[in-house]
Amino acid sequence: MGFSLLNGSSAGRGTGRAHRRRGAAVLAVALTLGIGGCGTSAPPTFDLNAPRDFGRLGAGRGPLAVGEPAAVQVLNGDRVIVKDGSAISFVGGAQWADRLPALIQTRLIETFENGSRLSVGRANSSLNAQYLLSSELRAFQIEAARGTALVEITARLLTTSGQVLAARVFKAEVPVAGAINGASATRALNDALQQVLVEIVRWASS
């Protein structure tokens, strides 16, 4: 009996020490994961602005529906793109507030509204439009070799039956101020887009 109690006590001490070591190890891992989780934050989100104070637009010939720009896969997300020749990368720690085509569609409609043309809405909305403005996003990136922001959009003005009335490519390129990072890249792209948006709405309203 004495042997049994002594052996049980020794085994208990050994088991207890093993449990404590395992508990300490688990606690250390949990603390490490907890600290890592607390230190991880979402990348900064950047928006695009619709230009203002560029003059009053003509009323146009009738209500206009604005479609979401078509885009290839790399332009159809929320990443800030950098191109160096044919190589594509992204600005780390930066993202757009929405998918780029959806964001540009919204700012394009707002630009028409800021120019006092209010008979404009989204395609497939309740607006009884007579004309459709369709577009394709050809470029929306930082050109690393030149240190510039490049925005290029093809716009087409169509009747509701699909007849193309006019088409044009709009392009703007703005230097990036300083090193390429989230703030400088998105600011330059926003400035280039504003130039393009003003040209598109003036052209479509003429």
Side-chain angles (χ1 to χ4, degrees), residues 146-187:
R146 298 196 297 272
T148 59
L150 174 64
V151 173
E152 190 171 354
I153 298 176
T154 300
R156 295 178 180 85
L157 192 61
L158 302 92
T159 64
T160 51
S161 63
Q163 179 187 359
V164 178
L165 301 176
R168 183 177 158 188
V169 177
F170 298 87
K171 178 180 176 181
E173 197 162 359
V174 172
V176 178
I180 296 173
N181 54 41
S184 64
T186 55
R187 186 182 304 114

Side-chain angles (χ1 to χ4, degrees), residues 94-116:
Q95 64 183 18
W96 297 114
D98 199 349
R99 282 191 316 106
L100 195 54
L103 190 55
I104 290 174
Q105 179 191 27
T106 298
R107 299 300 175 247
L108 182 54
I109 292 171
E110 289 178 359
T111 306
F112 277 106
E113 294 171 344
N114 291 344
S116 300

Side-chain angles (χ1 to χ4, degrees), residues 41-47 78 80 91-97 182-183 186:
S41 59
T45 299
F46 295 90
D47 205 350
D78 62 359
V80 182
V91 177
Q95 64 183 18
W96 297 114
T186 55

Side-chain angles (χ1 to χ4, degrees), residues 49-60 62-66 103-123 125-127 133 197-198 200-202 204-205:
N49 304 117
R52 297 177 177 272
D53 304 323
F54 55 88
R56 189 180 179 90
L57 299 172
L64 176 68
V66 177
L103 190 55
I104 290 174
Q105 179 191 27
T106 298
R107 299 300 175 247
L108 182 54
I109 292 171
E110 289 178 359
T111 306
F112 277 106
E113 294 171 344
N114 291 344
S116 300
R117 180 169 179 179
L118 302 179
S119 58
V120 177
R122 296 178 187 275
S125 69
S126 58
L127 178 71
L133 180 62
L197 292 182
V198 170
I200 290 175
V201 297
R202 284 179 172 161
S205 298

